[in-house]
Amino acid sequence: LSLVERYISIRNGVRTTTKIGYNFVLNLLKEYEFSKRKIRDIKPSDAKAFFIYLNQEVGYSYSTITQVRGVLKPAFEMAVEDNVLYRNPFLFPVTQVVPSDSEKRVALTDEQVKTYLEYIASDKCRSRWYDEVVILLETGMRVCELYGLTRKDIDFTNRRIHVYKQLQRDRNCVLYIEEPKTENGVRDIPMSDTAYA
């Protein structure tokens, strides 16, 4: 646990969402005896057994275990760089011990989109979100990207939407603006006739 705390403490300039992820992993680790062991005693088989336990006994999903590994692996790599350990016990892929439960995303068919929009339009409560849903469906933007837009990000002349930031919310429901996670998140999206309208 102290290794992970040290690793997190030297990670300056990380995004707010990354800090939230670090805290989630830290709090998760505090619940298990595994985190109280000396790092020099942890072997790859112990690391694998821990992930299997988290999945099969506790019920954590593949993505959660991948998130845990995403903190443990670099923390142990730091210990290797500091010559505290000879080898990082978390170098194995998670799929080696926990089956991936991720499902491939499939785009909605035109008929499904039509049915969904008819439902939104006819629902007394949800109809107020109709325009937002249309824009999301027509552009492929994420909800956080849509709500991060300001008037200057929308170019009606050239029918383009400039996406370079997103609206996020922390665990205390405090809203903040953040850049997209990757460079690919910064992009110009063309507006279809429906989105433009």
Side-chain angles (χ1 to χ4, degrees):
L1 190 60
S2 59
L3 175 69
V4 173
E5 289 172 334
R6 179 168 167 73
Y7 168 72
I8 291 171
S9 74
I10 62 170
R11 297 281 295 146
N12 289 327
V14 296
R15 305 160 69 78
T16 304
T17 50
T18 303
K19 288 179 188 173
I20 291 168
Y22 285 164
N23 286 331
F24 168 77
V25 172
L26 200 55
N27 290 328
L28 182 148
L29 291 172
K30 286 177 184 176
E31 296 179 32
Y32 302 102
E33 285 298 314
F34 180 84
S35 67
K36 296 177 180 77
R37 295 177 60 184
K38 293 186 175 179
I39 61 170
R40 68 174 179 259
D41 295 336
I42 296 174
K43 307 210 174 351
S45 59
D46 299 320
K48 291 174 183 178
F50 180 55
F51 287 168
I52 291 168
Y53 171 78
L54 288 178
N55 179 248
Q56 294 179 1
E57 301 298 322
V58 183
Y60 281 116
S61 68
Y62 170 81
S63 62
T64 300
I65 293 168
T66 300
Q67 186 178 359
V68 172
R69 181 185 179 265
V71 176
L72 288 173
K73 181 183 173 189
F76 274 80
E77 197 57 41
M78 179 185 72
V80 171
E81 290 170 3
D82 289 346
N83 292 317
V84 175
L85 289 178
Y86 173 69
R87 184 170 182 262
N88 185 339
F90 288 93
L91 292 178
F92 61 92
V94 176
T95 51
Q96 203 175 76
V97 291
V98 175
S100 173
D101 56 6
S102 326
E103 293 181 16
K104 186 178 179 183
R105 294 182 183 177
V106 180
L108 296 173
T109 65
D110 290 342
E111 188 59 37
Q112 288 170 325
V113 169
K114 182 181 173 205
T115 302
Y116 182 58
L117 289 176
E118 286 171 356
Y119 165 72
I120 296 283
S122 65
D123 186 81
K124 184 177 178 182
C125 182
R126 292 174 180 85
S127 60
R128 64 183 172 165
W129 305 111
Y130 182 83
D131 290 338
E132 285 89 338
V133 172
V134 167
I135 292 168
L136 291 170
L137 289 170
E138 289 290 318
T139 63
M141 276 191 292
R142 296 172 178 87
V143 173
C144 60
E145 293 172 336
L146 174 66
Y147 289 113
L149 294 175
T150 57
R151 179 64 184 87
K152 67 178 182 152
D153 303 325
I154 303 168
D155 179 354
F156 283 106
T157 306
N158 297 304
R159 290 187 169 203
R160 302 195 82 62
I161 301 170
H162 307 296
V163 178
Y164 60 93
K165 62 188 182 312
Q166 52 191 358
L167 182 66
Q168 294 287 346
R169 180 180 66 195
D170 67 16
R171 291 177 188 251
N172 298 316
C173 292
V174 174
L175 299 173
Y176 60 95
I177 295 289
E178 190 170 68
E179 293 176 357
K181 211 167 197 173
T182 66
E183 289 179 13
N184 292 336
V186 177
R187 62 204 188 281
D188 279 358
I189 299 172
M191 285 188 244
S192 64
D193 291 342
T194 306
Y196 178 79

